[in-house]
Amino acid sequence: MKKKNTFTAYVVIGIGLFFLFKQLKLPIFTDFYSWPTLLIIIGIAFLIYSFQVKDFNQLFPGTLILGLGIHFHGMEHYTFWIDHWAMYPLIVGIAFLVRYLKTKEGLIPGLILIILSCVFIFSIRIPHELNWINDVFNFINMYWPLVLIVIGVYLLKKK
């Protein structure tokens, strides 16, 4: 039970600091008075908790939530931030790699997601000969919800 209380304590402290800084109106933190900051706080709490109790499987959700918070914060506040759907698989790939560093699980999915994300992010500048890639991914983009449904049904039926 102490482990659960430790994580909750980190989240409560982080949210308390968030609202304290918001009330104090410190100029250095004005860009952080938004909902993505709460995701960042929860992600950091997961990471601290994971290292403190040595439950390294919590590195994946911590990195994922932290990455999403940073991404949403960047999109909201910085004009140079990349607003592309491939950022999400990139964040998941990074989460796999962070978890891999401690558990030695998830290297291949992490690398695949990162490589694919980089290809898609920079696909705007691909040579003319590789334009078929855009057609393939437009097709995938159209039908990926069906693929998820089929995978979910398969996982339910698999024994």
Side-chain angles (χ1 to χ4, degrees):
M1 190 61 138
K2 183 172 174 16
K3 288 182 181 183
K4 192 176 210 180
N5 290 339
T6 304
F7 173 71
T8 305
Y10 288 135
V11 172
V12 169
I13 290 169
I15 292 173
L17 286 171
F18 171 79
F19 285 112
L20 176 65
F21 290 153
K22 191 171 183 176
Q23 281 184 344
L24 293 176
K25 296 181 180 162
L26 298 174
I28 194 167
F29 294 112
T30 56
D31 283 349
F32 292 97
Y33 302 146
S34 61
W35 69 270
T37 303
L38 295 175
L39 288 178
I40 293 170
I41 290 168
I42 293 169
I44 291 171
F46 262 110
L47 295 175
I48 292 171
Y49 169 78
S50 177
F51 281 105
Q52 184 183 21
V53 300
K54 297 187 181 0
D55 180 8
F56 297 119
N57 285 322
Q58 300 301 319
L59 289 174
F60 184 85
T63 306
L64 181 66
I65 294 169
L66 176 64
L68 289 172
I70 291 170
H71 176 62
F72 293 138
H73 177 79
M75 285 191 337
E76 197 172 292
H77 294 286
Y78 306 115
T79 57
F80 63 85
W81 201 263
I82 298 172
D83 182 14
H84 192 280
W85 66 266
M87 288 296 289
Y88 302 108
L90 178 66
I91 293 167
V92 173
I94 291 169
F96 270 115
L97 287 184
V98 168
R99 185 182 72 176
Y100 170 77
L101 293 174
K102 285 294 187 181
T103 65
K104 302 303 181 212
E105 297 173 3
L107 176 64
I108 301 301
L111 290 176
I112 290 171
L113 286 171
I114 289 172
I115 290 168
L116 286 175
S117 295
C118 290
V119 167
F120 297 136
I121 289 171
F122 299 110
S123 68
I124 297 168
R125 297 186 182 105
I126 60 172
H128 180 67
E129 299 81 32
L130 299 176
N131 275 341
W132 61 270
I133 293 174
N134 285 331
D135 296 333
V136 168
F137 287 104
N138 285 337
F139 179 80
I140 291 170
N141 191 32
M142 185 179 298
Y143 294 107
W144 73 268
L146 292 174
V147 172
L148 289 178
I149 292 169
V150 169
I151 291 170
V153 169
Y154 169 75
L155 290 173
L156 283 174
K157 299 295 180 182
K158 179 181 155 188
K159 294 187 179 190

